[in-house]
Amino acid sequence: MSTIQRLYESDHIDICHDSRGWLYVDWKGQQTTESVKAGCERMLELLKQTGVSKVLNDNTHVIGTWQGAATWVGTDWLPRMRAAGLRHFAWVQSSSEPSRKSANQSLFDAEADGVLLFNEVPSAAVWLRAVDRVKQDR
């Protein structure tokens, strides 16, 4: 059983440390370019502080588009996350089509090694746990 420690909370994003070895990031509601950039920067800070290499990025509660930040996420922020130690990023998509388009744009603009899209949180968590088992089997 995992334990969750809330590290940051705002109107747009909650970031928790999951004892299974990753950050759990819950994006909430309508996002703007500014809220996406601020949330991503906070996530980067907390990745560095905790020393984890995995993120479960949950967009299931996001509505609408955040297209203004999509290219920045792919070309600026994800490379900095990788440089800070990110190895596996499980991205759970929103059911909102505009939000899904923004996520897809981010990945189109990025070198998306280690980033996988999911439709539900349980599948994303299974993948993140499996990454550790694959390493142990080698």
Side-chain angles (χ1 to χ4, degrees), residues 27 31-38 40 57 59 62 64-80 82 89 91 93 97-112 115:
W27 294 86
Q31 299 292 323
T32 65
T33 298
E34 294 76 25
S35 69
V36 169
K37 287 183 175 183
C40 285
N57 189 62
N59 283 190
V62 174
T65 186
W66 44 274
Q67 197 66 36
T71 296
W72 176 86
V73 165
T75 61
D76 183 302
W77 178 74
L78 272 172
R80 290 189 291 128
R82 280 193 202 89
F89 193 85
W91 195 328
Q93 295 202 78
E97 189 58 34
S99 179
R100 292 172 85 88
K101 285 182 180 180
S102 297
N104 288 329
Q105 181 64 48
S106 292
L107 295 181
F108 178 78
D109 291 330
E111 290 180 26
V115 180

Side-chain angles (χ1 to χ4, degrees), residues 3 5 10 17 23 26-27 35 50 54-55 60 62 64 74 76 81 90-91 95-96 105 109 115 125 130 133 136:
T3 58
Q5 176 189 10
S10 75
H17 180 260
L23 292 181
D26 184 14
W27 294 86
S35 69
T50 60
K54 299 182 280 189
V55 172
T60 57
V62 174
D76 183 302
M81 286 286 283
W91 195 328
S95 61
S96 164
Q105 181 64 48
D109 291 330
V115 180
R133 285 192 299 274
Q136 292 171 358

Side-chain angles (χ1 to χ4, degrees), residues 7 13-18 20-27 39-40 42-48 50-59 73 77-78 80-82 84-93 113-118 120-121 123-129 131-132 135:
L7 302 175
I13 188 173
D14 293 341
I15 304 174
C16 301
H17 180 260
D18 189 301
R20 292 176 285 192
W22 61 72
L23 292 181
Y24 172 73
V25 182
D26 184 14
W27 294 86
C40 285
R42 182 57 59 121
M43 197 186 318
L44 176 60
E45 291 170 19
L46 293 171
L47 182 91
K48 291 176 182 177
T50 60
V52 299
S53 63
K54 299 182 280 189
V55 172
L56 199 163
N57 189 62
D58 185 356
N59 283 190
V73 165
W77 178 74
L78 272 172
R80 290 189 291 128
M81 286 286 283
R82 280 193 202 89
L86 176 70
R87 297 295 169 259
H88 301 94
F89 193 85
W91 195 328
V92 182
Q93 295 202 78
D113 292 341
V115 180
L116 286 180
L117 293 174
F118 296 88
E120 56 189 26
V121 171
S123 298
V126 166
W127 177 68
L128 288 176
R129 285 191 305 270
V131 171
D132 290 333
K135 286 182 198 174

